[in-house]
Amino acid sequence: MASIKAEPFDLDFDPKTTALVIIDMQRDFVLPGGFGEKLGNDTSLLLAAVEPTQRVLAKARAAGLLVIHTREGHRPDLSDCPPAKLTRGGQTFIGTTGPMGRILVRGEPGHDIIHQLYPVAGEPVIDKPGKGSFHATDLHQILLDRGIRTLVVCGVTLEVCVHTTVREANDRGYECVVLADCVASYFPEFQRIGLEMIKAQGGIFGWVSDADRFIAAIG
Ligand code: C5J
């Protein structure tokens, strides 16, 4: 067993039943010139999460933890994209051609994971059409089959796909530890409040820790 220093209180976990989940570290969200920037966002806020996540990923791989990556995106014919998502905000971005190919379409360069955090053989990649990683995917089955109970969560954006995934996971009985410096938002106030929300009320849907404390916990 191991124990991670976290808020609102330290969490005991078994590395054998713990998975590292890295959410949507895709070029379109994280890199300048992608979907995120096209929406008017400052991508440097997301890039800040890359280096700590690299350290966490290296430690998790060395310790033999299950590592799972997710990507938000749709089939090329957009048949899995609800019209309400397609036209959100009165504009259509998804499926149109951006600097990194068709936006949020599977197989396009912008949809892929940034090279710094690229999956290696044996690490499941979950392609998800929604914000949550459990909706319309086989993630729950993969975790159940491996006996996973605890999720260590990194990725972007905190208040959207990270929050949705952690809430989904919490409702399915997983203990979720979100690493504060390995998640990011385009909005600094959402980053601060998003982390507060997770650990409020005695850990209403999870724990908050950071890269250094995860690395120390694994030993
Ligand atoms: C968003 C995500 N923000 N991965 N997606 O649309 O958080």
Side-chain angles (χ1 to χ4, degrees), residues 23-24 29 35 72 128 131 156-157 160-162:
I23 298 176
D24 298 1
F29 290 125
F35 173 58
E72 180 179 352
K128 61 188 182 65
K131 304 305 182 190
V156 300
T157 59
V160 185
C161 291
V162 173

Side-chain angles (χ1 to χ4, degrees), residues 100-175:
M100 298 184 194
R102 292 182 69 209
I103 291 166
L104 287 185
V105 170
R106 295 177 190 161
E108 299 288 336
H111 174 263
D112 210 355
I113 293 170
I114 58 171
H115 70 88
Q116 297 94 322
L117 300 170
Y118 212 76
V120 297
E123 294 176 352
V125 177
I126 306 293
D127 278 320
K128 61 188 182 65
K131 304 305 182 190
S133 302
F134 290 84
H135 170 68
T137 74
D138 53 7
L139 175 59
H140 191 44
Q141 192 62 50
I142 290 172
L143 297 174
L144 284 175
D145 290 349
R146 309 273 188 113
I148 298 295
R149 298 174 45 86
T150 307
L151 305 183
V152 175
V153 183
C154 304
V156 300
T157 59
L158 172 61
E159 76 279 13
V160 185
C161 291
V162 173
H163 251 236
T164 307
T165 296
V166 170
R167 290 165 190 249
E168 288 179 322
N170 179 66
D171 283 348
R172 286 165 175 77
Y174 297 100
E175 293 176 319

Side-chain angles (χ1 to χ4, degrees), residues 40-120:
N41 299 301
D42 175 4
T43 53
S44 70
L45 293 164
L46 270 54
L47 280 169
V50 173
E51 187 275 335
T53 307
Q54 279 181 293
R55 289 190 286 116
V56 164
L57 177 58
K59 189 73 182 180
R61 283 174 175 161
L65 263 65
L66 173 64
V67 176
I68 292 187
H69 306 260
T70 73
R71 301 185 295 200
E72 180 179 352
H74 298 277
R75 294 168 181 258
D77 65 3
L78 304 184
S79 57
D80 61 348
C81 185
K85 181 178 182 184
L86 201 55
T87 56
R88 187 67 46 86
Q91 300 175 61
T92 299
F93 284 106
I94 298 169
T96 62
T97 302
M100 298 184 194
R102 292 182 69 209
I103 291 166
L104 287 185
V105 170
R106 295 177 190 161
E108 299 288 336
H111 174 263
D112 210 355
I113 293 170
I114 58 171
H115 70 88
Q116 297 94 322
L117 300 170
Y118 212 76
V120 297

